[in-house]
């Protein structure tokens, strides 16, 4: 039966990759490999371990092949996903425990490996942290591959789509998305997933729409059903009517022409209609993102989140390794400046497998995080500071501390920098003696004492992601209260204004590097409040640049002044949205 005879149903999820697709659904249901259980005779036990070793080697070869393909087709950034997979195969705990389980039970190696890997997957899946929960997906993916190889089964993949289809799945593992038939996948839709899951990153880089977090969509659709995937608003429309199809056809044309218009101003300076130049910088997490920042003509790097160098590795990277990474970024961006933020580990970013450094806490966001961790682990802190100082000799670096709560903490951190400088001078190692030191303002106590902090540093960068969560007491990663996380809350606006005014009184510049800086709806509000520069994920630069060029600073200041007199976060947001829509025609 033609499913288009069924009524139209709209299902709402999370918009993960922009774009609109229309077509028939292919339901991809992963089934776990069935593992037979039996006893291995004592004389065959050596062979059984050798069989395990061979399966690990084959798995490694398969993953390396996928990694190379992804690197060729999508670039090194996306291919890095598979390093995490290769690391699973080298995990001594997982492999060693499997062999010990085999030696003590004599059960076939598949059964032992399945038992141990499932235990690890379960442990990761229960961790209350998005990054680590996603590692559970990596582990499950690799474990399934090892089991398939042990059992001599063919690869389970999405590489054989017969026709162009919208892929609907409960979850899509990184190797599924890597082997995905790119010419035939119209969109990726998942019951599970977040905006940061690997499949979504791949979808975005393939420029196909993606909607995730649809809960039980797979149980509501069948192969061959017709659907529209709206990756802008996070909608999946099942059995769309002719009028919906017509509407979406028009939307698609308009979005495409708007995106083309955004790219036309990519190279143009961010100057308002009344002639004020706005500094737009990029936030990066890895050295290889500099290329993206440059392709969007960023005026430097406003936030280099160095902790990702640590999070992407299974160990604490030594000073030399850090130096090379920082130097690469600073050298490539020169003469433009790079704000290197010292480690912000802890909170939602503990180091995996380092429970000794990051013991479990009840309130990790209010716990042993960032500068607090560094001041207690000065060996790790000093390695990083020396690496940054040495790298500063190769371009224009600025140093910034995260999570500063007051003047004494800032003074202690600066004192450690001074110690490192003295050590380097003693060794005759070059560094930039005039490197500026700034502080993030992301804790309410720092905002309230901004006048004092401004006397002790060269610049401020406001971390609105954390500042809003602490100011409003809204855990930034808790879905249940996400609707209460309101950047336009009067408390936020007043705090921003106070920080900016105190900084300017001491004649130091203020930037915003939280997510607010990358959403054009907030651009006039932030600039109108007096913020000097905005730093955002490179992909957002074109839309913010476009809007800056479509407004006047005079109007932005009026908007900010008006917003400061208002009491309702929703009304303030609506006012900002109206301001945006009046100047930028996205249609
Ligand atoms: C912030 O808190 O706004 C910020 C930029 O830092 P992070 O998101 O890394 O905590
Ligand atoms: Mg922060």
């Amino acid at each position: 039966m033609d499913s288009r005879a069924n009524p139209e149903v709209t299902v709402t999820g999370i918009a993960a990759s922009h774009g609109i697709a229309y077509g028939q659904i292919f339901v991809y249901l992963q089934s776990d490999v069935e593992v037979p259980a039996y006893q291995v005779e004592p004389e065959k036990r050596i062979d059984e371990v050798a069989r395990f070793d061979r399966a690990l080697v084959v798995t490694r070869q398969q993953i390396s092949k996928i990694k190379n393909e992804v690197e060729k087709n999508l670039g090194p950034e996306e291919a890095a996903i598979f390093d995490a997979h290769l690391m699973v195969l080298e995990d001594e705990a997982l492999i060693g425990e499997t062999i010990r389980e085999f030696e003590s039970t004599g059960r076939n190696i598949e059964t032992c490996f399945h038992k141990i890997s499932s235990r690890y997957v379960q442990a990761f899946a229960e961790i209350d942290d998005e990054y680590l929960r996603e590692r559970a997906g990596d582990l499950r993916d690799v474990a399934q591959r090892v089991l398939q190889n042990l059992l001599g089964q063919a690869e389970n993949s999405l590489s054989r789509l017969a026709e162009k289809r919208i892929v609907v799945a409960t979850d899509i593992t990184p190797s599924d998305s890597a082997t995905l038939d790119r010419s035939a996948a119209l969109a990726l839709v998942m019951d599970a997933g977040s905006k940061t899951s690997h499949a979504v990153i791949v979808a975005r880089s393939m420029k196909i729409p993606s909607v995730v977090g649809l809960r039980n969509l797979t149980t509501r659709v069948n192969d061959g059903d017709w659907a529209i995937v709206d990756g802008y608003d996070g909608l999946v429309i099942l059995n769309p009517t002719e009028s919906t199809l017509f509407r979406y056809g028009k939307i698609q044309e308009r979005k495409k022409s708007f995106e083309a218009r955004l790219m036309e101003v990519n190279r143009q300076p961010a100057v308002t209609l009344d002639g004020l130049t706005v500094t737009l910088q990029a936030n990066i997490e890895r050295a290889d993102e500099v290329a993206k920042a440059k392709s969007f003509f960023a005026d430097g790097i406003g936030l280099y989140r160095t902790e990702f160098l640590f999070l992407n590795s299974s160990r604490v990277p030594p000073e030399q390794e850090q130096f090379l990474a920082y130097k690469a970024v600073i050298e490539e961006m020169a003469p433009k400046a790079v704000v290197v933020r010292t480690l912000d580990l802890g909170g939602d970013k503990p180091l995996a497998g380092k429970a000794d450094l990051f013991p479990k806490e009840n309130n990790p966001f209010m716990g042993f995080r960032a500068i607090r961790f560094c001041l207690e682990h000065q060996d790790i802190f000093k390695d990083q500071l020396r690496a940054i100082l040495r790298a500063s000799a190769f371009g224009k670096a600025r140093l910034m501390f995260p999570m500063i709560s007051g003047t004494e903490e800032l003074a202690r951190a600066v004192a450690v920098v001074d110690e490192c400088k003295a050590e380097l001078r003693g060794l005759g190692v070059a560094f930039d003696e005039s490197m500026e030191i700034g502080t993030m303002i992301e804790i309410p106590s720092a905002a309230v004492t901004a006048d004092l902090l401004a006397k002790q540093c060269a610049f401020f960068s406001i971390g609105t992601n954390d500042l809003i969560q602490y100011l409003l007491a809204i855990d930034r990663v808790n879905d249940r209260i996400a609707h209460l996380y309101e950047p336009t809350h009067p408390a936020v606006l007043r705090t921003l204004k106070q920080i900016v005014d105190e900084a300017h009184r001491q004649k130091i510049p203020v930037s915003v590097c939280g997510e607010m800086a990358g959403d054009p709806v907030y651009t006039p509000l932030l600039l109108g409040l007096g913020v000097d520069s905005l730093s955002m994920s490179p992909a957002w630069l074109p839309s913010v640049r476009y809007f800056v060029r479509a407004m006047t600073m005079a109007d932005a200041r009026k908007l900010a002044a008006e917003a400061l007199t208002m009491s309702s976060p929703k009304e303030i947001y609506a006012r900002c949205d109206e301001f945006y829509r009046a100047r930028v025609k996205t249609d």
Side-chain angles (χ1 to χ4, degrees), residues 221-406:
V221 296
N222 294 307
D223 272 342
D225 284 357
W226 290 84
I228 289 173
V229 177
D230 175 350
Y232 295 103
D233 289 332
L235 305 176
V236 176
I237 302 166
L238 304 171
N239 315 312
T241 60
E242 285 304 323
S243 78
T244 305
L245 282 172
F246 180 75
R247 189 161 51 84
Y248 266 95
K250 292 274 166 229
I251 294 176
Q252 199 163 10
E253 270 170 35
R254 292 198 300 260
K255 297 278 186 196
K256 278 203 176 130
S257 87
F258 178 56
E259 272 165 25
R261 271 192 286 144
L262 287 186
M263 290 316 289
E264 274 168 25
V265 301
N266 194 30
R267 279 171 185 276
Q268 310 289 326
V271 183
T272 58
L273 292 173
D274 48 356
L276 199 112
T277 301
V278 180
T279 305
L280 301 182
Q281 297 172 311
N283 293 352
I284 61 163
E285 291 169 1
R286 291 201 311 254
D288 59 10
E289 286 173 296
V290 169
K292 203 179 265 174
K294 286 175 92 169
S295 73
F296 289 117
F297 297 89
D299 300 317
I301 303 296
L303 171 64
Y304 178 9
R305 291 181 164 107
T306 57
E307 59 275 8
F308 282 86
L309 190 65
F310 290 60
L311 294 169
N312 290 336
S313 161
S314 54
R315 63 195 164 69
V316 173
E319 179 185 324
Q320 181 63 10
E321 189 178 317
Q322 293 188 54
F323 162 68
L324 292 174
Y326 307 150
K327 173 173 172 272
V329 173
I330 292 164
E331 222 167 23
E332 230 184 299
M333 281 311 293
K336 291 181 176 147
V338 176
V339 178
V340 187
R341 181 176 76 179
T342 60
L343 281 179
D344 186 2
L345 289 170
D348 60 339
K349 295 177 280 196
L351 266 191
K354 294 265 176 235
D356 50 330
L357 293 176
F358 294 97
K360 194 161 171 39
E361 298 174 294
N362 283 339
N363 285 309
F365 270 119
M366 292 208 270
F368 193 47
R369 228 192 117 173
I371 199 69
R372 301 168 185 180
F373 168 86
C374 287
L375 289 173
E376 268 195 40
H377 289 283
Q378 293 209 7
D379 45 342
I380 296 178
F381 192 31
K382 285 179 79 176
D383 275 353
Q384 176 172 49
L385 291 173
R386 273 192 304 267
I388 299 171
L389 281 164
R390 286 167 55 199
S392 71
F394 295 85
K396 178 123 193 71
R398 293 195 176 113
L399 184 74
M400 178 162 79
F401 301 121
M403 297 283 291
I404 289 288
S405 62

Side-chain angles (χ1 to χ4, degrees), residues 283 303 305 307 341 344 349 369 440 442 462-467 476 513-515:
N283 293 352
L303 171 64
R305 291 181 164 107
E307 59 275 8
R341 181 176 76 179
D344 186 2
K349 295 177 280 196
R369 228 192 117 173
M440 285 203 68
E442 51 185 346
I462 306 176
T464 45
N465 303 343
D466 277 315
L467 185 60
R476 71 192 241 195
C513 63
E515 292 306 297

Side-chain angles (χ1 to χ4, degrees), residues 26-47:
F26 167 72
V27 184
Y28 176 64
L29 294 176
Q30 286 167 301
S31 51
D32 281 352
V33 177
E34 281 206 19
V35 181
Y38 53 89
Q39 244 0 80
V40 177
E41 290 157 26
E43 64 275 18
K44 293 202 174 141
R45 292 200 178 162
I46 292 184
D47 293 347

Side-chain angles (χ1 to χ4, degrees), residues 80-121:
I81 292 167
F82 297 97
D83 287 329
H85 283 203
L86 289 168
M87 261 156 59
V88 171
L89 292 171
E90 316 222 310
D91 190 305
E92 274 168 29
L94 175 67
I95 311 294
E97 273 183 53
T98 301
I99 295 191
R100 278 195 293 285
E101 173 78 12
F102 171 63
E103 283 166 351
S104 67
T105 65
R107 292 176 86 74
N108 61 320
I109 201 82
E110 289 90 342
T111 301
C112 301
F113 179 70
H114 186 48
K115 179 175 167 191
I116 304 294
S117 60
S118 304
R119 205 161 65 202
Y120 274 89
V121 169

